């Protein structure tokens, strides 16, 4: 009887050890899968950054005329329209922030008097807005934005004036 009990106990222990080994193997497999997924995610992020940079380089070359491709040119036209919208909005933001409440807003957010030379909030020098004479300006050939006389490049798209 003691022999039978010992046999049963030995079989039970073998089953428990087998279960533990299977659990270890499953854990190792799960860890390896997790490591591989993390590696894939890192590679995907690196690839996305490279593709973004490649797209920006290609876009600049298309805009400057170094690359001629009809299919890509249609996409460039869409981007030029977006560039123009962003440029116009940026100009409006600058104008609104410069002339807030009959004063000039500093980059720190403090509104200063129209004749103040230094910011009352941070002490930075306040640049007085210059009036640009647009009566003799020309339109950009790429984006049609007004290019002031004497400018070498379009302030909107960067094309040579």
């Amino acid at each position: 009887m003691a022999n039978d009990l010992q046999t049963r106990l030995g079989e039970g222990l073998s089953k428990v050890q087998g279960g533990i080994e299977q659990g270890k193997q499953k854990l190792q497999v799960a860890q390896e899968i997790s490591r591989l997924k993390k590696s894939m995610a890192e590679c995907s992020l690196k690839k996305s950054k490279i593709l973004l940079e490649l797209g920006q380089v290609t876009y600049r070359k298309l805009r400057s005329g170094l690359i001629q491709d009809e299919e890509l040119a249609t996409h460039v036209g869409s981007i030029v329209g977006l560039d123009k919208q962003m440029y116009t909005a940026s100009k409006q933001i600058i104008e609104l922030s410069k002339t807030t409440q009959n004063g000039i807003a500093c980059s720190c957010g403090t509104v200063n008097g129209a004749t103040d030379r230094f910011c009352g909030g941070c002490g930075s020098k306040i640049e007085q807005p210059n009036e640009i004479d647009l009566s003799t300006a020309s339109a950009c050939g790429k984006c049609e934005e007004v290019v002031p006389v004497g400018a070498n490049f379009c302030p909107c798209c960067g094309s040579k004036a």
Side-chain angles (χ1 to χ4, degrees), residues 2-86:
N3 224 1
D4 190 36
L5 182 62
Q6 214 173 13
T7 304
R8 283 185 168 175
L9 190 57
E11 288 173 0
L13 279 175
S14 292
K15 286 182 182 180
V16 168
Q17 285 177 336
I20 290 173
E21 285 302 316
Q22 284 180 340
K24 282 182 181 179
Q25 287 176 346
K26 286 181 181 180
L27 179 61
Q28 288 173 342
V29 168
Q31 287 174 334
E32 182 66 10
I33 289 171
S34 177
R35 185 190 68 76
L36 291 170
K37 284 183 176 181
K38 181 180 178 185
S39 174
M40 285 174 53
E42 289 171 355
C43 288
S44 179
L45 181 62
K46 287 177 184 177
K47 179 182 175 181
S48 295
K49 288 179 181 180
I50 292 169
L51 284 171
L52 178 62
E53 189 172 322
L54 175 66
Q56 290 172 340
V57 168
T58 304
Y59 173 66
R60 284 192 298 270
K61 287 186 177 190
L62 284 162
R63 291 290 301 271
S64 66
L66 294 174
I67 297 175
Q68 300 292 327
D69 185 287
E70 235 176 88
E71 182 182 359
L72 294 176
T74 60
H75 295 294
V76 169
S78 300
I79 294 172
V80 169
L82 295 171
D83 281 345
K84 183 158 181 155
Q85 288 177 355
M86 291 187 307

Side-chain angles (χ1 to χ4, degrees), residues 84-161:
K84 183 158 181 155
Q85 288 177 355
M86 291 187 307
Y87 177 74
T88 302
S90 174
K91 281 189 349 185
Q92 290 172 341
I93 290 170
I94 290 169
E95 288 304 312
L96 289 171
S97 62
K98 281 183 180 177
T99 58
T100 305
Q101 300 171 359
N102 296 328
I104 298 175
C106 179
S107 59
C108 75
T110 303
V111 178
N112 298 283
T115 59
D116 291 351
R117 293 178 55 211
F118 294 92
C119 175
C122 68
S124 297
K125 184 173 179 170
I126 298 173
E127 297 295 326
Q128 297 295 328
N130 295 331
E131 292 297 319
I132 298 173
D133 180 20
L134 298 177
S135 62
T136 57
S138 60
C140 174
K142 300 267 185 185
C143 70
E144 301 175 0
E145 181 61 37
V146 176
V147 180
V149 173
N152 293 323
F153 297 93
C154 173
C156 176
C157 69
S159 296
K160 185 125 176 87

